[in-house]
Amino acid sequence: MSEHHVIQTAKQDRVNLIQITDTHIMGHPDDRFDGVDTAATLAAVLGRIEQVEPAPDAILVTGDLVHDPETGAYDRLLRLLETVRSPVFCLPGNHDDPGMMHERLNRGPIRTVKNLTAGNWRILLLDTWMPGSHAGRLSKKEMQFLVDGLDAERPEFVLIALHHPPVSLASSWMDAMGLENADGFLSVIDRHTRVRAVIWGHAHQEYENRRAQSLLMGTPSTCVQFKPGTNRYIKDDRPPGFRQLFLYEDGSVKTRLQRVAA
């Protein structure tokens, strides 16, 4: 297994997490994503998260951290993430450069560690980045990392985080750039009843469904939203959002979305 990090939890009976995703921070303050100042919307989301009580044990950022892989964009993101109280763990999306991400973001409480434990839970952060593609894929090395994490004796339950959706969203343009080897991924989690939750980003919209013992969840972006169920990109008018996750010591999961007017 890769480098391992233990998250300290405020409550003994649960892990309190927040997921944010698709922050799309620009390299220059004047740049916009379809008219949206992504730094301003992320700042608004982080401001709301700072009001959440109790404070989350950790924040997971599930890809497309920047809009274009530039050192200046990662540095701007780092400054924004440093405003929160909780430790932050990041994974790459298709708009990122994983090497640059690892180099620029491992500062203080901002980390790119992939293997976390918190209470009775293991949290695995998967890399689905493919060079030159908006679609995603789990490499052989990444699939082995997943299997090794699921085969480890402890902790008892597992949350998996990745960028690309492993299921169809009934949106042809989005499904065309989903997780290419989703069937292989799903067959792995189907064999491991310890997997109780899978979270992702990429689609800039909410999704919630169940597959056997696992709760499957997509989360809105902190900036631009994509209209669900379309065959092309249409900007949605819903506000940015984030997801709260409560992972209990018995393996149960509770979740809720919050939207932030920005």
Side-chain angles (χ1 to χ4, degrees):
M1 294 293 290
S2 62
E3 179 187 356
H4 172 250
H5 183 89
V6 178
I7 298 171
Q8 301 300 319
T9 59
K11 301 287 186 179
Q12 288 189 341
D13 67 331
R14 67 180 181 269
V15 185
N16 179 10
L17 301 177
I18 282 179
Q19 179 202 7
I20 61 175
T21 193
D22 297 274
T23 50
H24 285 271
I25 297 302
M26 302 290 185
H28 192 278
D30 292 337
D31 292 339
R32 299 289 184 268
F33 177 15
D34 203 355
V36 173
D37 181 346
T38 59
T41 56
L42 176 57
V45 169
L46 294 177
R48 174 69 66 83
I49 290 171
E50 282 297 276
Q51 297 171 9
V52 171
E53 293 293 346
D57 300 316
I59 298 172
L60 307 180
V61 193
T62 54
D64 282 0
L65 311 176
V66 299
H67 195 68
D68 295 302
E70 304 169 358
T71 57
Y74 283 111
D75 292 345
R76 292 187 74 214
L77 173 66
L78 181 67
R79 290 193 292 270
L80 285 161
L81 294 178
E82 285 175 336
T83 64
V84 299
R85 294 171 285 174
S86 307
V88 179
F89 300 93
C90 303
L91 61 84
N94 48 287
H95 279 261
D96 291 300
D97 179 311
M100 191 181 297
M101 178 195 80
H102 294 309
E103 177 187 352
R104 306 304 295 189
L105 293 187
N106 281 291
R107 305 285 192 276
I110 318 301
R111 307 287 296 277
T112 62
V113 180
K114 294 160 56 66
N115 181 17
L116 312 173
T117 56
N120 209 23
W121 286 77
R122 183 180 300 278
I123 303 165
L124 299 175
L125 279 65
L126 302 183
D127 181 349
T128 57
W129 180 83
M130 282 201 308
S133 176
H134 286 303
R137 187 171 186 84
L138 290 164
S139 66
K140 289 183 179 180
K141 180 180 179 181
E142 205 68 8
M143 287 291 283
Q144 190 60 55
F145 167 77
L146 171 61
V147 170
D148 290 345
L150 296 180
D151 286 343
E153 185 175 350
R154 296 286 180 182
E156 190 169 355
F157 304 108
V158 178
L159 164 73
I160 298 171
L162 70 169
H163 181 66
H164 291 85
V167 296
S168 170
L169 302 179
S171 180
S172 57
W173 75 281
M174 180 56 62
D175 289 346
M177 54 180 182
L179 185 65
E180 286 192 349
N181 52 347
D183 288 346
F185 169 76
L186 293 172
S187 69
V188 169
I189 69 168
D190 285 348
R191 295 195 302 270
H192 289 81
T193 58
R194 300 168 63 196
V195 179
R196 297 303 174 90
V198 180
I199 59 174
W200 62 79
H202 190 55
H204 293 233
Q205 61 193 256
E206 64 182 276
Y207 176 95
E208 192 168 320
N209 207 340
R210 183 166 289 278
R211 182 184 178 96
Q213 77 286 341
S214 299
L215 188 60
L216 308 181
M217 293 165 282
T219 296
S221 166
T222 62
C223 58
V224 177
Q225 309 307 309
F226 298 166
K227 194 170 185 64
T230 61
N231 58 15
R232 61 182 176 87
Y233 166 61
I234 300 175
K235 184 179 178 181
D236 203 349
D237 59 2
R238 296 180 186 182
F242 63 92
R243 181 179 293 278
Q244 291 182 272
L245 292 154
F246 305 95
L247 314 179
Y248 291 88
E249 61 181 352
D250 64 356
S252 61
V253 178
K254 292 184 179 178
T255 184
R256 61 175 177 238
L257 285 176
Q258 289 201 36
R259 298 275 186 173
V260 179

